[in-house]
Structures are given as structure tokens and as C-alpha cells.
Amino acid sequence: MKMITAPMGWNSWDCYGAAVTEDIVRKNAEFMAENLKQYGWEYVVVDIQWYEPLAENHEYHPFTELCMDEYSRLIPAPNRFPSSKGGKGFAPLAEYVHSLGLKFGIHIMRGIPRQAVHQNTAIKGTERRAREIAKTANICSWNTDMYGVDPDREGARAYYDSIFELYASWGVDFIKCDDIAREFPKEEQELIMLSESLHGCDREMVLSLSPGPAPLEKAELLKQVSNMWRITDDFWDKWEQLYDMFQRAEKWCTHSGADHFPDADMLPIGPIRQDYDKKNRTNFTKSEQITMMTLWSIFRSPLMIGGEMTGFDDFTISLITNPEILKMHKNSRHSHQVWRREIGGTEHVLWSAADAQGGHYAAVFNAGDKDSEIQILLEDLEITGPVSCRELWSGEAVQAGESINVRLESHGAKAFYFFSR
């Protein structure tokens, strides 16, 4: 069954880097189940290095000892994930997340652990061993955990089959695979093999590829092998990165569709970087957060919350539970940028999308540094005939004749729904 709506969930990276623990994951899952599940939020994803016993923050310990089974497969560090003791892996944690009516995901790195290669450990399903399938010259530039896998070597497919067999036995629903989305063309065959192994296991799993930017010329392959792929490197709470996302979304918007979604990355909202300081909160203004949520939603990007959810304030909750904005995220089709121009000395951007259930969406953004008031012509949106209109964030009715008048705060946005009278 095809996934019509882009995934919505929470990922531990923005809060805790490599250092998230089981109790934190459980508390965030409980918060999602109680407060957000009814709005469509459902994935709880444990990000990088859950197999590293000594992880402290967003930084990595080079060449550190990892937790691994006898078949060269990484397993959860039991000091951080106590329910994994006794060879249970993530099965108990996944079962708990499922009991809340949610879905469970994990981060993985492309390749095979370096320590498996150095120890030349076994690979399940083959007589070949780790050293025989590794590409030791193929390494990640920012993490020392893995070597690449040579897809032309006997035993390589068996290794990938074995890890997804393990993840399926744990009850994993979502795989975020890192060090792969921007590595084309050199890692193309390894990605294809990885995807075939995932889709060949006995469990449906979303496949998310990171980091970006993925190459636009590989869009059709990305659609075939994965469900979502990053169009940017790590996205943080900086206006410059949000401003840059307009041109990235414009380039990728035609490639969004059922089962395949260009990914603008996580939403760094609420408390973030908690591994460094519990006082850390997003640097985005409220207007910038509304711009981010509006652009991600009309563009149909996956929505992955990055903040510590148990510390959300009323504004943050309202940001991610607005039913009209989430309906736009679910129903927008054929999204595209209409124009990007300077009006009154301030840069504005206009996006448009059809509503799958009838009607029309529009979003207008003030990308400048001063508040503005502009007029949006309905003919620019190719809307004809008498229509009614409401603004989605406020729910207010808007007078719509041949145009609508819009007031915008600096770095702010508004979204509109047009429907026949």
C-alpha cells in the first residue's frame, strides 16, 4: 500500500545528538501518544550511535568500541537502552512504542562496522567474513564507525539481508540511513543493494536517506529506492538556512508524490541541543517557525520534530497541531513556487498547490527584514470564478475578489485555502 502522506514524527538528533537514552525516548513517545497522535504524528526515531556506550553529545568519539553481535551487526548499548539486555535488541522498546499506537524507527550508517572488519567477524547467511566484503578505502568523512560495502563481492548482499532481518525481528518501522544521499554516483550500487535487502525482508519499513543535498539529477532513482531523501545538509535554527530552503524546495517540488518525498529535514523547534545545555531553545522567532512549518507543509516535506517534546510551550504545540496546516500537508498536490519578487523593497515568495479534495492552497512568505503589506492577485494563482477564502493559521475569513490583501511580519508567512462559494 502506497504512503500518500509524507511521514510525521520525532527524531532524537536535534535534542541529544548521539547520546539519547531509552528513558528519554519513552517519555517523548508517551508525550506524542497523548498530545500529537490524533493529529497524525506517529514515528519515534532513535538517531545515530545507539550502539555507542560512551556517547555524550552531538560529537563522536573517533574509533571507539561499539556494541556488536557475532554476525557483524551493531546492537543497542545496554547501558543506554537497558531493555535491550540479553540479546533483545530494540524489540522491547519498539513493542512499547507500538503499544502507544505509534511506530518505531532507528538511524543506521551505510556500510559495515570497522571493528567487524578489523576483527574479521562472521556474516550471517554466508561463509564470507567482514573483511572480504568491505571497501576499506570507502569511509565516511565525518564519522569513523563504518567502512563501505562492495556490492560486487560475494557475501555483501547477505550482510545487508542480515541487518534488515534483525531490524524486522525488532519491529522497526522506519530506517534513516546516513552517509548515502549525497554520495552519488560512487555509492549508487550499494544504495540499490541496501534498498533491495530492506524491501526483501518480511516487514514494511520507511527508508529515509541522509544527509543532503541529494543530487537532483538522481531524482528518479531516489523515488525507486527510497521513501524520502534529504535535499539539504543538517538543517538548524538559522534564518540563513531557512531562507536557502526556498530555492531548494523550488527545485525539488515536482518530485514529491505517493511513496516518495523530498525531505527538507527536521523541525528544530522547542528545546534543542539538550545534550549541551537544558536551557537551549530554538533560535527561530515565532514568525520564522510559522514560515518553516508553512513551507514544509505546502511542499509536502516529511515533518520530523527535532525538539524535546516534553518541554514544548503552548506556541510550539499550536505550531504542530494546527489542523488546517496539517490538512494542507496531507492534501496539497502539484505544489510549486508561483513567483519570487521584491515588493515595496521587501522580498516575497508565493507558492500554490491544488487540494486533493477540491479547492486550492496558497502560501505567501515575507523573506525580508521589515513588515509588509501586499496584494495577491487570484489570476496569479490561476483561480477563477467567485471563491471564498480563509487564512489557515488564524482560521479567519478573508475577503477575496480579484485579489486578497495580506499583511506579513518580517520572516513571516500566511497560508490560504480557496474554495467555491
Side-chain angles (χ1 to χ4, degrees):
M1 183 176 178
K2 285 188 178 294
M3 182 170 53
I4 304 300
T5 302
M8 298 168 56
W10 174 85
N11 178 293
S12 61
W13 171 255
D14 284 0
C15 311
Y16 302 103
V20 73
T21 57
E22 181 169 350
D23 62 323
I24 292 170
V25 175
R26 286 177 177 257
K27 288 176 182 176
N28 277 275
E30 290 161 2
F31 184 93
M32 180 180 287
E34 183 176 349
N35 299 284
L36 304 180
K37 182 175 69 171
Q38 61 184 307
Y39 297 96
W41 301 92
E42 60 178 344
Y43 290 97
V44 175
V45 181
V46 178
D47 209 86
I48 195 167
Q49 284 200 324
W50 36 266
Y51 40 78
E52 212 277 71
L54 304 178
E56 299 173 292
N57 48 43
H58 280 79
E59 298 163 28
Y60 309 118
H61 297 134
F63 307 104
T64 189
E65 187 76 14
L66 308 177
C67 296
M68 187 179 75
D69 72 6
E70 69 272 27
Y71 292 119
S72 309
R73 301 177 299 188
L74 296 171
I75 56 176
N79 63 313
R80 293 171 52 201
F81 298 93
S83 69
S84 71
K85 292 178 181 178
K88 296 184 180 70
F90 272 129
L93 182 54
E95 183 179 8
Y96 181 71
V97 171
H98 293 156
S99 74
L100 299 174
L102 304 174
K103 297 179 180 179
F104 179 72
I106 60 173
H107 172 290
I108 66 171
M109 292 290 291
R110 171 185 63 85
I112 188 167
R114 289 193 190 197
Q115 73 182 46
V117 176
H118 298 163
Q119 297 170 14
N120 203 24
T121 46
I123 297 170
K124 188 175 183 181
T126 179
E127 295 181 358
R128 302 297 177 185
R129 302 184 78 84
R131 199 169 297 162
E132 297 176 82
I133 70 166
K135 294 171 71 174
T136 54
N138 187 322
I139 58 176
C140 175
S141 63
W142 44 268
N143 178 277
T144 62
D145 293 346
M146 314 293 272
Y147 287 127
V149 168
D150 189 340
D152 294 328
R153 294 185 182 178
E154 183 181 347
R157 174 64 187 267
Y159 167 72
Y160 273 115
D161 286 347
S162 73
I163 65 170
F164 288 112
E165 175 188 58
L166 180 65
Y167 305 153
S169 73
W170 289 345
V172 172
D173 306 295
F174 184 107
I175 297 289
K176 175 183 175 182
C177 183
D178 218 332
D179 190 37
I180 202 163
R182 68 179 176 211
E183 301 303 315
F184 293 126
K186 64 178 183 177
E187 311 308 347
E188 188 170 312
Q189 294 306 311
E190 186 173 0
L191 170 58
I192 292 171
M193 181 174 63
L194 180 153
S195 176
E196 289 174 347
S197 290
L198 180 148
H199 291 105
C201 77
D202 293 330
R203 186 174 183 85
E204 288 189 7
M205 303 182 199
V206 172
L207 178 57
S208 167
L209 306 180
S210 290
L216 186 61
E217 64 271 19
K218 291 294 183 179
E220 295 308 318
L221 174 64
L222 290 163
K223 294 176 189 178
Q224 294 174 45
V225 299
S226 66
N227 303 108
M228 49 189 278
W229 57 90
R230 286 264 294 279
I231 63 174
T232 180
D233 203 340
D234 284 5
F235 177 80
W236 282 103
D237 50 335
K238 299 177 180 179
W239 168 250
E240 295 78 13
Q241 291 188 5
L242 180 51
Y243 179 82
D244 179 64
M245 197 63 69
F246 285 105
Q247 60 90 12
R248 295 180 185 274
E250 180 192 9
K251 291 178 180 178
W252 280 100
C253 62
T254 60
H255 296 288
S256 182
D259 251 3
H260 49 81
F261 302 95
D263 179 14
D265 202 15
M266 287 183 282
L267 304 168
I269 56 177
I272 56 176
R273 301 183 186 91
Q274 298 295 283
D275 50 338
Y276 292 117
D277 188 341
K278 297 298 183 185
K279 297 179 182 178
N280 284 336
R281 298 188 71 88
T282 184
N283 288 316
F284 279 142
T285 66
K286 290 182 178 181
S287 292
E288 289 166 350
Q289 292 177 68
I290 288 172
T291 286
M292 175 176 60
M293 191 68 180
T294 303
L295 180 59
W296 268 235
S297 295
I298 197 167
F299 171 58
R300 291 177 81 193
S301 172
L303 300 177
M304 300 300 291
I305 296 166
E308 167 57 62
M309 292 187 289
T310 64
F312 280 0
D313 57 18
D314 290 344
F315 169 78
T316 309
I317 291 292
S318 70
L319 184 76
I320 58 176
T321 60
N322 183 299
E324 294 285 359
I325 294 295
L326 294 177
K327 184 179 179 182
M328 179 172 71
H329 178 255
K330 179 179 180 180
N331 289 343
S332 64
R333 300 291 186 272
H334 317 302
S335 304
H336 63 280
Q337 181 177 295
V338 178
W339 49 247
R340 183 172 186 169
R341 59 179 65 147
E342 186 175 298
I343 302 173
T346 299
E347 184 180 15
H348 294 83
V349 186
L350 179 65
W351 274 67
S352 175
D355 176 8
Q357 295 181 335
H360 197 99
Y361 289 113
V364 60
F365 306 89
N366 178 349
D369 294 328
K370 62 180 182 179
D371 296 353
S372 65
E373 183 171 354
I374 65 171
Q375 186 179 64
I376 304 297
L377 299 177
L378 267 60
E379 65 181 21
D380 283 356
L381 299 168
E382 300 185 84
I383 296 175
T384 59
V387 292
S388 297
C389 176
R390 67 174 177 270
E391 202 281 315
L392 302 185
W393 284 107
S394 64
E396 294 177 356
V398 177
Q399 185 69 33
E402 295 182 351
S403 64
I404 58 173
N405 294 316
V406 184
R407 291 184 178 181
L408 292 167
E409 294 183 358
S410 169
H411 298 182
K414 289 188 177 180
F416 301 92
Y417 176 61
F418 297 88
F419 53 99
S420 298
R421 292 179 182 172

